[in-house]
Amino acid sequence: MSSLSTQVLVIGGGTTGLGIAWDAALRGLKVVLIEQSDIGQGTSGRHHGLLHSGGRYALSDPASARDCASENRILRKIASHTIEDTGGLFVATPSDPVDYPDRWFSACSHLNIPVEEISLSTMLEREPLLNPRISRSFLVQDASIDSFDLAHLLVKGIQEHGGVVLLRHRLESLIRHQDRLVEAKIKDISNGTSLRLSANLFINAAGPWAKTITTMAEVELPLALGKGTLVAMSHRLVNTVVNRCKRPSDGDIIVPVGTVAILGTTDVPVKEPTSLDIQPWEVDLLLAEGDLLLPGLRDSRPLRAWAGIRPLYQPAENGNAHTRALLRAHVVLDHEETDGLQCFISVIGGKLTTFRLMAEEAVDLICDKLEIDQKCSTASTPLPHESGQFHSLPSRLEKLEEHPYPHSINDQIVCECELVMRGDIELVLENSPAVTDLDDLRRDLRIGMGPCQAGFCAYRACAISSEHFSSPPSLKGLHNFVYERWKGIRPVAWGSTLQQMEFSRRIYLDLLAAGPESENRS
Ligand SMILES: Cc1cc2nc3c(=O)[nH]c(=O)nc-3n(C[C@H](O)[C@H](O)[C@H](O)COP(=O)(O)OP(=O)(O)OC[C@H]3O[C@@H](n4cnc5c(N)ncnc54)[C@H](O)[C@@H]3O)c2cc1C
């Protein structure tokens, strides 16, 4: 078993953990981050992608609202390439309480959240599909943010400042020496080897898995888990984020992301971080509520549904509260204070929008404990970015207009929905050793995420990758990728979505005879 030592070990490669490792590396600390899977596999890759203006929580959770508003301004400066400035609308439909907009408007003003009331004709000019019976409409500074791109930038930032990111490394156990945490036992899932890592401080940023980590350290964590289901519609039905102007509840947001519109979300208390099953009522409810904002939405084509799990701090006084009622604010728990266990910190809750602030508070505490006098600089340090680094459909279309394809074999289209070329795939395979399967390619290039949901591109990408990987993706890898896509389609499989799913299934099972024996027709 090999061994390693570091000043700070961060457990979890979601945006919270990556933000902490980035901040620590920028302050010159020796930091290692471990992630059991790939970045963005947890909640950080399973949300709406809304960069909150703060408006949503202005009345229900003012502390979170204030944090979101200030972090929104900062992220626009330091991570501008991952953000699309869609703007946001809060609108009052005939089903919403009439006294809410005025109370909400004054709460926003009180919290310095920029809001402007606009006329209904201006609203409809901007978003013609919105319900003409909406009575009031307000503009806010919501935006959409690509968390996969953000995560990639954070990894780059960590590595450029000497930090180490170990993907597919799972924490298996934590070793205590009396009242101090001293060592972590880690498994490299890709080859089954084990590693012992000693650190001055252990940071639990495992999101919905945070309680599993504290259990390894033999301390209790009051954590509640709330599952939220989301539905992606096959078109970008709005260009602006649209929120209902009422107390946050189920199905009250639509976020335009890339080529699709995302409807969110429900909030169902669950016990496990892997309880991601979607119930039919959740999809029905999201479509029905969406229809109040965009009449006729029910008849549009849903592309897929998925769920994410919110990790929410639930102190004893909120013991029986529903997860919807729990505050979205974050906590940085020093287990020396709460449980008498030294060298262990948990960072819980918050939003993707507030990940930088959570990291700043956590690393301030880390520096205090290590007696290091280094100030946080993440609010003014742009994340490293190279032009052309990201997958963006508009920039691909521009490129296509300038230089019509094909020029070479590299210009062969692999994914028609997201315009991914053979050359794009080869570039990623050559330059990113961490990419080991089709799902990694999906997160980098969006293959399989468009309207056909991997109907064609999965096989082409699999063939191209098999020329590159030292051990080519097995049929099992292809199977997992395709089935993961179908899993998301199944909850919304009716009408043309069902036709597309059946079409893809027949290509897979009949034409390519690629499914398990039992599923192949003769
Ligand atoms: C439905 C839904 C919608 C949301 N929408 C928004 C939104 O629009 N805007 C917004 O700002 N916020 C949103 N949020 C909140 C936001 O997504 C989360 O606050 C954020 O992603 C949490 O990130 P995290 O890093 O704490 O957790 P995660 O992203 O879950 O990261 C934890 C990581 O720890 C890893 N891990 C676990 N156990 C181990 C182990 N033993 N060893 C190594 N690694 C381990 C996991 O694999 C995982 O990758 C939403 C949340 C949900 C559920």
Side-chain angles (χ1 to χ4, degrees):
M1 189 185 295
S2 52
S3 58
L4 206 67
S5 76
T6 186
Q7 276 179 308
V8 181
L9 171 67
V10 179
I11 303 147
T15 35
T16 307
L18 291 168
I20 294 168
W22 175 52
D23 189 327
L26 267 184
R27 296 197 214 194
L29 301 180
K30 208 171 150 198
V31 59
V32 174
L33 177 145
I34 54 166
E35 163 55 48
Q36 64 181 352
S37 167
D38 191 8
I39 50 172
Q41 272 286 62
T43 309
S44 299
R46 303 183 149 271
H47 52 75
H48 306 87
L50 168 61
L51 180 69
H52 284 275
S53 58
R56 182 167 172 78
Y57 302 112
L59 274 171
S60 60
D61 189 351
S64 291
R66 207 188 295 268
D67 289 349
C68 285
S70 60
E71 289 304 301
N72 179 306
R73 285 189 281 272
I74 293 172
L75 292 185
R76 283 167 187 268
K77 289 194 198 125
I78 63 164
S80 59
H81 297 94
T82 66
I83 292 168
E84 186 192 345
D85 190 6
T86 57
L89 287 167
F90 275 75
V91 298
T93 73
S95 312
D96 301 332
V98 284
D99 65 329
Y100 193 88
D102 286 330
R103 288 193 292 121
W104 172 82
F105 187 87
S106 55
C108 288
S109 311
H110 182 65
L111 293 166
N112 277 333
I113 297 171
V115 192
E116 179 196 347
E117 181 152 18
I118 58 170
S119 69
L120 299 181
S121 55
T122 309
M123 175 198 84
L124 287 173
E125 230 167 76
R126 187 178 173 126
E127 292 299 342
L129 298 183
L130 278 178
N131 188 343
R133 295 180 61 220
I134 283 169
S135 57
R136 298 185 71 182
S137 172
F138 303 86
L139 260 183
V140 295
Q141 295 184 349
D142 285 339
S144 84
I145 180 161
D146 188 316
S147 58
F148 295 132
D149 287 347
L150 178 69
H152 281 120
L153 289 190
L154 286 166
V155 170
K156 202 160 185 283
I158 295 164
Q159 290 170 337
E160 280 183 4
H161 287 86
V164 176
V165 177
L166 300 174
L167 300 180
R168 299 189 174 76
H169 280 68
R170 185 197 298 133
L171 179 74
E172 299 270 277
S173 59
L174 287 167
I175 296 159
R176 283 175 72 138
H177 181 64
Q178 294 168 351
D179 291 336
R180 168 181 285 265
L181 217 48
V182 288
E183 201 173 72
K185 206 173 145 206
I186 295 160
K187 184 168 187 181
D188 180 344
I189 299 166
S190 55
N191 59 20
T193 56
S194 294
L195 168 74
R196 292 180 91 99
L197 198 147
S198 58
N200 299 92
L201 283 171
F202 297 78
I203 316 300
N204 173 10
W209 291 266
K211 199 169 173 156
T212 317
I213 309 299
T214 53
T215 305
M216 290 181 197
E218 297 166 28
V219 297
E220 277 294 316
L221 183 71
L223 188 75
L225 303 179
K227 182 197 71 172
T229 288
L230 303 127
V231 171
M233 305 303 288
S234 72
H235 293 92
R236 193 173 154 112
L237 299 165
V238 284
N239 286 314
T240 313
V241 175
V242 182
N243 304 264
R244 294 266 290 279
C245 197
K246 61 174 188 139
R247 208 180 164 76
S249 67
D250 289 352
D252 56 1
I253 307 188
I254 304 179
V255 184
V257 177
T259 52
V260 304
I262 297 176
L263 314 181
T265 169
T266 52
D267 194 335
V268 181
V270 291
K271 293 263 179 276
E272 300 297 328
T274 46
S275 302
L276 294 167
D277 285 347
I278 294 164
Q279 302 302 317
W281 70 262
E282 295 182 272
V283 174
D284 282 349
L285 187 132
L286 291 176
L287 292 173
E289 293 292 318
D291 207 71
L292 290 172
L293 288 168
L294 301 175
L297 174 132
R298 269 171 181 285
D299 302 324
S300 309
R301 182 184 153 201
L303 194 57
R304 60 183 287 108
W306 70 96
I309 309 279
R310 292 178 191 84
L312 299 164
Y313 185 58
Q314 187 171 38
E317 62 270 22
N318 287 332
N320 293 321
H322 186 279
T323 42
R324 177 69 79 192
L326 292 176
L327 297 184
R328 267 42 179 167
H330 59 269
V331 287
V332 176
L333 283 181
D334 177 355
H335 290 285
E336 185 171 358
E337 275 183 15
T338 53
D339 309 281
L341 176 62
Q342 295 171 39
C343 312
F344 190 36
I345 294 168
S346 289
V347 186
I348 314 289
K351 313 287 302 167
L352 174 86
T353 307
T354 56
F355 83 94
R356 192 213 61 84
L357 179 66
M358 293 161 72
E360 176 175 344
E361 289 174 15
V363 183
D364 281 350
L365 178 61
I366 291 170
C367 285
D368 267 3
K369 290 193 165 284
L370 297 177
E371 296 180 0
I372 291 172
D373 184 17
Q374 283 290 342
K375 296 278 167 278
C376 175
S377 59
T378 53
S380 55
T381 309
L383 282 161
H385 169 256
E386 289 157 15
S387 70
Q389 184 180 353
F390 297 132
H391 179 97
S392 122
L393 203 52
S395 69
R396 272 152 208 264
L397 283 166
E398 268 168 33
K399 221 164 78 184
L400 194 61
E401 268 179 13
E402 280 168 29
H403 308 286
Y405 295 114
H407 276 140
S408 68
I409 189 170
N410 277 345
D411 293 335
Q412 286 176 346
I413 293 189
V414 175
C415 172
E416 281 89 350
C417 304
E418 294 283 347
L419 274 187
V420 181
M421 307 292 160
R422 173 187 267 266
D424 299 322
I425 293 188
E426 297 199 326
L427 201 69
V428 170
L429 292 173
E430 274 155 25
N431 296 320
S432 312
V435 170
T436 58
D437 61 21
L438 293 176
D439 216 31
D440 293 341
L441 278 177
R442 174 181 72 82
R443 281 184 286 271
D444 281 1
L445 293 170
R446 296 185 59 84
I447 60 159
M449 287 171 91
C452 89
Q453 289 287 300
F456 307 101
C457 59
Y459 317 112
R460 297 170 182 157
C462 186
I464 295 168
S465 341
S466 65
E467 294 162 13
H468 283 261
F469 291 139
S470 50
S471 59
S474 62
L475 206 53
K476 187 161 169 270
L478 176 68
H479 184 80
N480 290 345
F481 182 73
V482 170
Y483 268 73
E484 201 50 44
R485 299 284 93 198
W486 291 351
K487 219 161 77 186
I489 304 175
R490 208 167 287 140
V492 294
W494 61 84
S496 48
T497 306
L498 181 58
Q499 280 170 355
Q500 177 67 48
M501 186 180 177
E502 254 323 279
F503 180 56
S504 302
R505 243 163 60 86
R506 288 303 134 214
I507 293 179
Y508 186 68
L509 297 178
D510 291 349
L511 201 61
L512 303 176
E517 276 303 293
S518 59
E519 291 191 29
N520 287 339
R521 290 209 302 217
S522 67

